[in-house]
Amino acid sequence: MLGRPRPAPDGLTEREREVLRLIAEGLGNRQIAARLRISPSTAGVHVSHILAKLGVATCTEAATIAFCGN
């Protein structure tokens, strides 16, 4: 069945988890966009959703969660 991606138990979609991995590698929105072949504004939207879902304010905090799993 096609449709919207189902979120993982942490609430992130598969694409958001992919973006989170790139954040954890230290990439910025433009680099993420280039890597995923999406627009920088779309990358920014993904990042904003990730921060909100994880309840953090910065990409550094999100990367820490990605590494530590907390």
Side-chain angles (χ1 to χ4, degrees):
M1 182 170 141
L2 296 177
R4 298 195 126 208
R6 295 186 62 160
D10 60 9
L12 299 179
T13 65
E14 184 60 36
R15 179 60 119 184
E16 289 166 345
R17 294 177 71 68
E18 187 175 10
V19 171
L20 180 57
R21 284 189 289 275
L22 296 175
I23 291 169
E25 288 180 25
L27 276 62
N29 289 359
R30 289 183 185 194
Q31 295 165 315
I32 292 169
R35 181 82 61 94
L36 298 178
R37 295 188 173 118
I38 59 177
S39 74
S41 64
T42 299
V45 168
H46 286 310
V47 170
S48 294
H49 288 168
I50 291 165
L51 298 180
K53 288 179 179 182
L54 296 179
V56 298
T58 68
C59 287
T60 302
E61 291 175 294
T64 300
I65 289 171
F67 278 119
C68 298
N70 294 328

